[in-house]
């Protein structure tokens, strides 16, 4: 709110409680108490130059570029003040560079000092063309330099990690990178070293070299899941990306708004491309979701779309040689349609669309299964799953939105957040950042039910309620008795419970969480790991649910969908279909003939061995995929599809928030899944009306619910959907030489979307087996974890796990738990000394 200068005092606008009135450059302004001067000036339209200031970082006053003249209580302060650290006060008079020669001269002087040792790298610097130092030197610096001596130089670049390179001579010591690492990410591995003219940025490892005797350094490399953000917020090009360095200039690039495809958070991004190739990704700004931060996986993992083995032409298996050969689209679609129709008219076809699809593509699979294949045998859950989970999704998740469910903003302001079988830093990094922010700034109590004090537990200042894998349901049921303080906190308004997808492996856990939410009133949110799972749920890519949570067994719901799709009444089967495991078993027993697969890796499934048997037993397999996989070996027809950069569409994030994105690379010829399925449907005399993502979205919109949900205990339950009610079972008890397995995937691992990213892979966390000191006794530092299927041998790292429990990374180099052991979270495994490496 501003007040025009010169207005008579009798017409003064009253100052609301909690606000102050001050004058900036002759204009009166009313500002909230505690607001920084630099922010108040911004609201007036006055941009004060700065380098260290960032709205999401704590004030530092490090660069002194934002100096202004300040008068307080009628007395001018003796020298210009940093507007990024001084808060507004009643009656304060501020003069910026616009009206004060003193402030303007001070800013010019600071700029001159900053440029003394700054190299003239602009023609080759990655920041050139989008550099705040360039822009502000032109606007607020002197026309000529008075410095004629030799500039300080350093060897460059200095790799502070495999993906972040440091040019020390460019650094202006704004401390943005160190503050981000310490405050936002909780990874204080990059520090200010030395003093005075020798001060510079370095890693904690480097700090040890500078001061071996102090014993104050952590001795850890700059290993963070969020290090790429320091590159983006660096105002001078001192930090650069090893992946992007010297590859292009900002004025060579075309930018497109995009959404991250790697997890269910739906982070806003900006994709920069040139001549049909993606050059880099940057964090987009969305205060409601990721603010201005993204994880390194979202920033750097995009080269999978240009991998050398990408499938760009349809493949059809030659009947004589048995080999896949390239074929034109018309032939491939004709062969696929003929084979699927024959299998459909035989024992039927199952559909495994996977969990990485856009909403529009997932809807196309859902409709194709019902209209073209006449089946409900469809399940997007290419992971461990259960009937209890399906009941939970139908009753507590589908149709929730940010208006009535849990949101990112609610997480940071919640009095308590209980994380259950969810490792937020590994499975939903943006959620982790909000939890840390809430704990650090607003006092949010974060409680984790898990197995050991992970980095996420430490960095959210959290409390661990440790339990044996498989015992999480019992831990939830025992909260009232064994953790009364937590129980009381969960009854507080705004309390939140977050549950991850691994809950499907713990019988009774979803039911226990439902009862906990009913009893305490805490809001309950489901956070899957993959980006497309929440949208696939809404699209009806499940055996018991039609779009928007309509139950397959509900005759009125089937009739409504049949009418919308132009099907005759009774066309949709009245019984639910099979889930993923049910379809695989049916293929093995010859109760299903065909399979349509959408980019599913058999090694992600609960039983990879069963998956391969099912693929081998199927009479006809069609695979829609981007790159060759284990499914390709068994496919009769392979149809290439477009990666996210080459199509438009939307994701639905875990909040239920729609995250639309336009096409980035146009004219590549790649087709989205919905277009491929639409054309395949036409070949099978079935009209899907999903020719484009926009058409698919419009067709889905006509099924959007009007009033299909009712409130229940601060969450939502779909009409006709009964909440899960499964009794919990006791956790497994290991015998001699055995342990209970805990496992989840690390953010950076051997995932198929991380190929061709050596710089990113270099910052992955170590692949080790974790167990308690008692469990590790006698193993000599290495352990072999085995089942009847196979074995994994890894170095041992002692952690605070319960005795008799071993933790393994789920899909890292040397630790492919599903593929090697055929086991999952809560299974009994054998452990023995691993011997020499």
């Amino acid at each position: 709110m501003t007040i025009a200068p010169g207005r008579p005092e009798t017409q003064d606008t009253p100052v609301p409680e909690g606000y102050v009135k001050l004058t900036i450059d002759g204009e009166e302004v009313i500002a909230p108490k505690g607001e920084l001067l630099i922010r108040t000036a911004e609201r007036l339209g006055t941009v004060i130059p700065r380098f260290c200031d960032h709205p999401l970082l704590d004030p530092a006053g490090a660069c002194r570029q934002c100096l202004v003249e300040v008068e307080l209580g009628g007395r001018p302060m003796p020298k210009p003040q940093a507007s990024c650290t001084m808060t507004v006060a009643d009656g304060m008079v501020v003069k910026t560079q616009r009206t004060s020669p003193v402030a303007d001269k001070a800013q010019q002087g600071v700029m001159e000092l900053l440029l003394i040792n700054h190299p003239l790298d602009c023609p080759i610097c990655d920041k050139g063309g989008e550099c705040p130092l360039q822009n502000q030197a032109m606007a607020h610096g002197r026309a000529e330099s008075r410095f004629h001596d030799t500039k300080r130089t350093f060897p460059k670049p200095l790799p502070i990690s495999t993906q972040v390179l440091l040019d020390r001579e460019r650094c202006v010591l704004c401390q943005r990178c160190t503050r981000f690492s310490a405050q936002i990410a909780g990874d204080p591995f990059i520090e200010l070293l030395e003093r005075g003219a020798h001060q510079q940025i370095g890693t904690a490892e480097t700090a040890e070299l500078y001061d071996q005797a102090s014993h104050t350094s952590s001795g850890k490399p700059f290993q963070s899941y969020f290090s790429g953000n320091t590159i983006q917020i660096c105002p001078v090009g001192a930090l650069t990306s090893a992946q992007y360095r010297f590859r292009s200039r900002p004025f060579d690039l075309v930018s497109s708004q995009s959404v991250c495809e790697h997890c269910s958070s739906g982070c806003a991004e900006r994709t920069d491309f040139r001549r049909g190739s993606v050059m880099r990704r940057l964090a987009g700004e969305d205060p409601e979701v990721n603010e201005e931060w993204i994880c390194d996986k979202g920033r750097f993992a995009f080269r999978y779309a240009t991998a050398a083995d990408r499938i760009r032409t349809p493949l059809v298996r030659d009947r004589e040689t048995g080999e896949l050969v390239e074929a034109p689209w018309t032939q491939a679609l004709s062969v696929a349609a003929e084979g699927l129709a024959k299998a459909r008219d035989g024992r039927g076809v199952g559909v495994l669309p996977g969990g990485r699809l856009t909403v529009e593509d997932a809807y196309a699979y859902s409709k194709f299964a019902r209209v073209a294949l006449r089946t409900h045998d469809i399940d997007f859950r290419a992971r461990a799953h259960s009937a209890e989970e399906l009941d939970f999704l139908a009753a507590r998740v589908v149709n929730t939105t940010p208006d009535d469910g849990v949101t990112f903003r609610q997480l940071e302001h919640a009095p308590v957040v209980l994380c259950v079988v969810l490792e937020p830093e590994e499975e939903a990094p943006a959620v982790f950042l909000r939890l840390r922010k809430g704990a650090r700034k607003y006092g949010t109590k974060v409680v984790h039910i898990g197995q050991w004090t992970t980095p996420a537990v430490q960095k959210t200042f959290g409390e661990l309620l440790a339990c044996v894998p498989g015992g999480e349901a019992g831990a939830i049921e025992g909260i009232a008795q064994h953790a009364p303080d937590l129980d009381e906190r969960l009854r507080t308004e705004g309390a939140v419970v977050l549950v991850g997808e691994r809950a499907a492996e713990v019988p009774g856990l979803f039911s226990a969480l439902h009862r906990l939410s009913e009893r305490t009133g805490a809001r309950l949110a489901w956070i899957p790991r993959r980006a497309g799972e929440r949208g696939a749920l809404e699209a009806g890519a499940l055996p018991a649910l039609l779009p928007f949570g309509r139950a397959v067994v509900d005759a009125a719901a089937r009739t409504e969908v049949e009418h919308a799709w132009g099907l005759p009444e009774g066309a949709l089967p009245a019984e639910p279909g099979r889930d993923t495991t049910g379809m695989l078993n049916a293929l093995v027993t010859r109760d299903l003939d065909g399979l349509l697969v959408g980019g599913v890796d058999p090694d992600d499934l609960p039983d990879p061995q069963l998956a391969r048997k099912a693929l081998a037993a199927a009479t006809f397999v069609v695979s829609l995929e981007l790159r060759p996989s284990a499914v390709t070996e068994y496919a009769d027809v392979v149809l290439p599809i477009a990666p996210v950069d080459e199509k438009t569409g939307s994701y639905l994030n875990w909040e239920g928030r729609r995250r639309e994105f336009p096409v980035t690379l146009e004219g590549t010829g790649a087709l989205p899944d919905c277009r491929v399925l639409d054309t395949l449907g036409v070949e099978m005399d079935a009209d899907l009306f999903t020719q484009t993502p926009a058409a698919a979205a419009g067709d889905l919109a006509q099924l959007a619910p009007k009033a299909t949900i009712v409130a229940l205990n601060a969450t939502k339950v779909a009409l006709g959907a009964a909440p899960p009610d499964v009794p919990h079972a006791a956790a497994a008890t290991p015998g001699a030489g055995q342990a209970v397995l805990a496992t989840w995937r690390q953010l950076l691992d051997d995932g198929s979307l991380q190929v061709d990213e050596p710089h990113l892979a270099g910052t992955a966390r170590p692949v080790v087996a974790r167990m308690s000191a008692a469990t590790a006794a006698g193993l000599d530092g290495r352990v072999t974890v085995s089942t009847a299927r196979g074995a994994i041998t890894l170095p041992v790292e002692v952690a605070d796990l319960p005795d008799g429990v071993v933790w393994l990374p789920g899909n890292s180099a040397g630790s492919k738990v599903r593929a090697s052991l055929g086991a999952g979270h809560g299974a009994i495994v054998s452990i023995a000394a691993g011997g020499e490496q």
Side-chain angles (χ1 to χ4, degrees):
M1 176 189 305
T2 60
I3 303 172
R7 178 177 290 181
E9 291 185 10
T10 55
Q11 298 183 18
D12 267 0
T13 302
V15 179
E17 186 176 353
Y19 286 72
V20 298
K21 182 188 293 185
L22 67 154
T23 302
I24 299 179
D25 290 336
E27 291 189 67
E28 285 190 337
V29 58
I30 295 175
K33 287 182 179 179
E35 185 174 57
L36 296 174
L37 275 177
I38 200 167
R39 302 281 175 268
T40 309
E42 283 174 353
R43 291 194 291 109
L44 281 175
T46 299
V47 177
I48 300 173
R50 85 292 301 266
F51 296 109
C52 68
D53 174 69
H54 191 285
L56 298 179
L57 301 177
D58 293 347
C63 72
R64 317 307 289 178
Q65 186 61 55
C66 63
L67 296 177
V68 295
E69 255 195 297
V70 178
E71 181 181 308
L72 197 56
R75 301 178 60 184
M77 300 191 78
K79 59 183 180 180
Q81 301 296 306
S83 59
C84 72
T85 59
M86 179 170 281
T87 57
V88 295
D90 201 45
M92 180 182 280
V93 177
V94 180
K95 295 179 181 178
T96 71
Q97 73 277 2
R98 291 179 56 195
T99 58
S100 168
V102 173
D104 186 49
K105 182 179 179 181
Q107 291 176 7
Q108 290 187 26
V110 170
M111 179 64 70
E112 186 175 28
L113 289 172
L114 293 178
L115 292 176
I116 280 179
N117 281 309
H118 194 82
L120 294 176
D121 282 351
C122 299
I124 62 167
C125 177
D126 287 345
K127 203 76 172 181
E130 57 183 8
C131 176
L133 183 63
Q134 278 184 329
N135 298 339
Q136 291 174 183
M138 293 290 291
H140 305 286
R142 300 184 189 277
E144 296 181 4
S145 172
R146 296 178 291 177
F147 183 80
H148 300 291
D149 296 319
T150 302
K151 291 178 180 284
R152 180 183 62 185
T153 60
F154 291 103
K156 62 181 185 181
L158 177 70
I160 59 176
S161 76
T162 58
Q163 60 196 21
V164 181
L165 306 177
L166 171 64
D167 286 42
R168 286 172 288 176
E169 58 201 34
R170 296 178 187 170
C171 179
V172 296
L173 301 175
C174 69
Q175 301 177 31
R176 278 189 177 187
C177 56
T178 59
R179 283 181 292 147
F180 170 85
S181 298
Q183 296 167 18
I184 306 300
D187 299 316
F189 303 141
I190 185 169
E191 301 173 353
L192 277 173
L193 311 178
E194 295 288 1
R195 291 295 192 94
H198 298 289
Q199 193 170 52
Q200 58 186 278
I201 296 294
T203 64
E205 266 188 334
T206 312
E208 279 199 337
L209 298 177
Y210 277 99
D211 191 1
Q212 294 280 357
S214 68
H215 302 294
T216 58
S217 169
S218 64
K220 298 179 180 178
F222 186 37
Q223 191 174 70
S224 170
Y225 283 160
F226 306 96
S227 63
N229 292 287
T230 63
I231 298 170
Q232 186 169 342
I233 64 175
C234 177
V236 296
L239 295 172
T240 56
S241 163
Q243 179 198 70
Y244 176 72
R245 188 175 173 91
F246 300 145
R247 294 194 68 205
S248 86
R249 306 303 301 275
F251 38 79
D252 294 333
L253 301 174
V254 180
S255 298
S256 174
Q257 300 305 309
S258 54
V259 175
C260 181
E261 72 272 34
H262 290 292
C263 85
S264 63
S265 295
C267 295
E269 293 185 334
R270 191 188 93 191
T271 300
D272 291 346
F273 64 97
R274 181 183 68 176
R275 301 188 194 125
S277 298
V278 173
M279 294 285 106
R280 65 177 180 180
R281 283 184 179 170
L282 302 175
E285 185 176 350
D286 190 335
E288 299 303 320
V289 179
N290 58 304
E291 298 187 303
E292 298 180 28
W293 318 122
I294 56 174
C295 71
D296 288 347
K297 187 175 180 179
R299 183 180 298 273
F300 297 117
F302 57 80
R303 288 180 173 167
Y304 65 89
T306 56
D309 62 351
R310 176 175 163 181
I311 302 171
R312 298 180 182 272
T313 305
L315 304 174
V316 174
R317 193 165 298 279
D318 188 283
R319 293 181 180 179
E320 295 182 2
T321 65
E323 299 293 324
L324 285 171
V325 295
E326 293 187 357
W329 273 99
T330 51
Q331 178 189 347
L333 289 169
S334 176
V335 172
E338 181 182 348
L340 289 176
K342 184 178 179 180
R344 175 199 64 196
D345 297 337
R347 296 183 180 89
V349 179
V351 181
L352 299 178
R356 296 202 178 277
L357 300 171
T358 63
V359 175
E360 295 77 12
D361 290 340
Y363 174 67
Y365 278 96
S366 176
K367 191 172 183 180
F368 185 85
R370 273 74 185 224
V371 176
L373 299 178
R374 305 166 195 165
T375 182
H376 294 306
D377 287 342
I378 178 172
D379 195 342
F380 68 81
R381 297 174 295 173
R383 52 172 174 76
H385 51 278
S386 67
E388 181 190 12
E389 179 190 39
L390 185 52
D391 290 341
F392 175 82
L393 297 179
R396 301 300 299 252
V397 179
V398 70
N399 292 325
T400 54
T401 69
D403 295 331
D404 47 50
V406 179
T407 65
F408 279 100
R409 196 175 291 275
Q410 288 172 1
L411 291 183
E412 71 179 67
H413 293 286
V416 63
V417 177
L418 175 62
C419 297
V420 184
V421 291
L422 173 68
E423 187 55 33
E425 192 177 20
E426 306 282 7
E427 298 177 282
V431 172
F432 161 77
L433 292 182
R434 285 295 178 126
L435 292 176
R436 175 172 168 81
K437 179 181 178 181
R440 182 175 173 271
K441 296 190 70 173
Y442 304 114
T444 299
K445 176 72 173 176
V446 184
V447 181
H448 302 256
I449 291 183
Q451 279 67 56
W452 58 287
T453 305
T454 64
V457 177
Q458 297 172 351
K459 289 184 280 193
T460 57
F461 314 101
E463 176 185 350
L464 174 69
L465 300 181
C467 67
V468 175
E472 291 87 353
I476 292 294
E477 298 283 19
I479 283 177
Q481 179 181 355
H482 301 295
D485 290 344
L486 174 59
D487 191 72
E488 190 62 32
R489 284 177 179 267
L490 289 171
R491 296 177 186 274
T492 309
E493 184 178 356
V496 174
V497 179
L498 303 179
V499 58
E501 66 183 28
R502 281 179 286 125
E505 300 185 73
V506 183
L509 181 52
F510 282 118
S511 304
L513 289 169
H514 169 70
R515 289 189 290 268
L516 177 71
S517 177
E518 281 194 300
R519 181 171 58 79
T520 63
R523 289 177 174 267
L524 184 56
W526 175 65
I527 302 184
R529 193 175 61 84
R530 291 187 171 100
E533 293 213 357
R534 182 59 207 278
L537 168 63
E538 225 76 4
L542 282 168
L545 295 180
L546 294 166
F548 296 108
R550 293 174 174 86
V552 164
V553 296
D554 185 339
R558 293 199 308 275
T559 299
E560 186 180 6
V561 174
E562 287 164 349
H563 181 265
W565 286 350
L567 300 176
E569 187 171 347
L572 294 177
E575 295 299 320
R578 303 173 178 92
D579 65 10
T580 299
T581 300
M583 282 184 266
L584 297 178
N585 282 320
L587 286 163
V588 172
T589 59
R590 307 292 182 176
D591 292 317
L592 270 182
D593 280 343
L595 193 63
L596 173 65
V597 186
V600 172
D601 185 346
D603 289 341
D604 288 338
L605 298 175
D607 189 343
Q609 190 176 89
L610 172 65
R612 285 175 166 79
K613 285 182 180 178
L615 288 165
T619 59
F620 196 79
V621 177
V622 176
S623 180
L624 277 66
E625 53 191 338
L626 190 67
R627 297 176 53 242
S629 69
V631 176
T632 313
E633 301 171 20
Y634 302 93
D636 295 281
V637 178
V638 178
L639 302 175
I641 43 88
V644 67
D645 289 324
E646 298 176 30
K647 63 183 177 183
T648 185
S650 65
Y651 290 110
L652 206 64
N653 76 353
W654 65 264
E655 303 170 286
R657 188 189 303 270
R658 192 175 182 197
R659 311 293 288 156
E660 296 182 72
F661 58 89
V663 61
T664 297
L665 303 177
E666 299 186 80
T668 64
L671 303 179
D673 297 61
C674 62
R675 173 68 181 274
V676 174
L677 292 171
D678 181 82
T679 311
L680 186 57
V682 170
E683 291 284 334
M684 299 175 69
D685 297 322
D687 291 323
L688 301 187
F689 302 105
T690 62
Q691 303 94 326
T692 65
D699 199 58
L700 176 61
Q702 68 176 337
L703 290 168
K706 305 282 190 300
T708 60
I709 47 180
V710 294
L712 175 64
N713 291 326
T715 61
K716 302 186 91 173
V717 175
L719 285 178
D725 187 17
V726 175
H728 76 269
T733 303
Q738 294 183 323
V740 184
L741 176 65
T743 182
W744 55 79
R745 292 179 64 154
Q746 299 189 132
L747 181 69
L748 303 181
D749 60 6
D750 282 357
S752 59
L753 300 189
Q754 299 171 58
V755 298
D756 290 349
E757 296 293 349
H759 304 299
L760 177 65
T763 58
R765 287 176 175 166
V767 180
V768 297
R770 289 185 171 89
M771 58 186 69
S772 69
T775 309
L779 294 178
D780 295 328
R782 288 181 66 80
V783 64
T784 295
V785 181
S786 61
T787 65
R789 293 276 182 88
I792 293 172
T793 301
L794 292 175
V796 172
E797 184 173 295
V798 173
D800 58 343
L801 286 88
D803 291 341
V805 174
V806 59
W807 177 85
L808 298 177
N811 189 43
S812 298
S815 182
K816 314 278 188 178
V817 172
R818 294 284 180 191
S820 299
L821 304 181
H825 189 80
I828 294 290
V829 294
S830 298
I831 59 172
E836 295 296 325
Q837 185 172 2

